[in-house]
């Protein structure tokens, strides 16, 4: 298999799917408070995606995933399964939304602070978001995947954090996950060159401690081995001739 370049009409559909995914993150924000369970957040997002957006929550039943969103709390790195456990003040949580609209996927995630969060956790969240933006800034026709990975890794490690290796960004379109794999570490100039019409995600997972992760017995939830905090942010991005277009931008980022 190879990388699927998107046509102008496919790009238009990806813009719509991306906007819907971003709007779910905006919608859920006021609900992310101490005392709410992650399965309540899942239910609210599910109903909004299905009833208001008339779209499909891509995670539900994807390779057996049982819920409509991923919620990854504190030392959870990614793919956390919403459940009965309630968020408490001081928690940090990633909510990862993927919607399918008119056959095309939009995939995006952000970190939320629950109640009052410690400065060290806020710093991890902020550095991880900045790492995502530095990766995005590399994107234009002719740049390589290694340019993206290097920008992210250098910034994370300069700040004494580590980059998770087991999970990566990806091409996206009619499929949730397409080629290429977008690593969040690497060397400038390595890997394939980007071309206008490619659509990829960048979704760095950055740990406060060591980079190693393990997957819990639920088969999904990845956690840091050393139980250090982890943060992740994700956007879906179109490669253009002279740069890029972020398809999942939220109002707060404009
Ligand atoms: N949204 C995740 C990603 O960014 C994938 C989640 S797969 C699931 O690629 F099954 F856990 F939903
Ligand atoms: Co993704
Ligand atoms: Co995602």
């Amino acid at each position: 298999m190879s990388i699927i370049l998107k046509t102008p009409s496919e790009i238009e559909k990806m813009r719509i799917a991306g906007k819907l995914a971003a709007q779910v993150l905006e919608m859920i924000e006021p609900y992310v408070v101490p005392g709410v369970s992650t399965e309540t957040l899942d239910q609210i997002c599910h109903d909004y995606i299905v009833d208001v957006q008339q779209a499909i929550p891509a995670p539900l039943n994807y390779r057996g995933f049982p819920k409509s969103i991923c919620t990854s709390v504190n030392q959870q790195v990614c793919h956390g399964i919403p459940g009965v456990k309630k968020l408490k003040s001081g928690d940090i949580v990633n909510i990862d939304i993927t919607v399918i609209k008119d056959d095309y996927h939009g995939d995006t995630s952000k970190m939320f602070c629950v109640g009052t969060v410690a400065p060290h956790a806020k710093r991890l969240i902020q550095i991880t978001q900045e790492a995502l933006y530095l990766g995005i800034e590399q994107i234009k026709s002719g740049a390589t995947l290694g340019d993206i990975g290097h920008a992210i890794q250098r910034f994370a490690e300069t700040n004494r954090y580590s980059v998770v290796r087991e999970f990566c960004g990806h091409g996206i379109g009619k499929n949730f996950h397409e080629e290429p794999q977008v690593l969040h570490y690497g060397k400038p100039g390595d890997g394939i060159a980007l071309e206008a019409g490619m659509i990829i995600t960048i979704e760095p997972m950055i740990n406060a401690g060591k980079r190693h992760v393990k997957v819990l017995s639920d088969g999904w939830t990845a956690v840091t081995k050393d139980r250090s905090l982890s943060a992740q942010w994700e956007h879906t991005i179109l490669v253009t001739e002279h740069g890029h277009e972020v398809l999942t931008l939220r109002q707060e980022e404009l």
Side-chain angles (χ1 to χ4, degrees), residues 96 98 107-108 168-170 172 176-177 201 203 234:
D96 193 339
T98 312
D107 188 7
T108 185
C168 58
H170 49 93
I172 182 168
F176 197 159
H177 298 105
T201 74
E203 47 185 294
E234 174 176 26

Side-chain angles (χ1 to χ4, degrees), residues 58-70 78-81 96-98 106-109 168-170 172 176-177 201 203 205 220 232 234:
L60 187 59
N61 301 320
Y62 177 79
R63 299 183 180 206
F65 192 79
K67 295 286 184 180
S68 295
I69 66 173
C70 297
C78 64
H79 303 165
I81 302 174
D96 193 339
I97 302 292
T98 312
D107 188 7
T108 185
S109 80
C168 58
H170 49 93
I172 182 168
F176 197 159
H177 298 105
T201 74
E203 47 185 294
M205 286 139 278
W220 282 101
Q232 179 180 30
E234 174 176 26

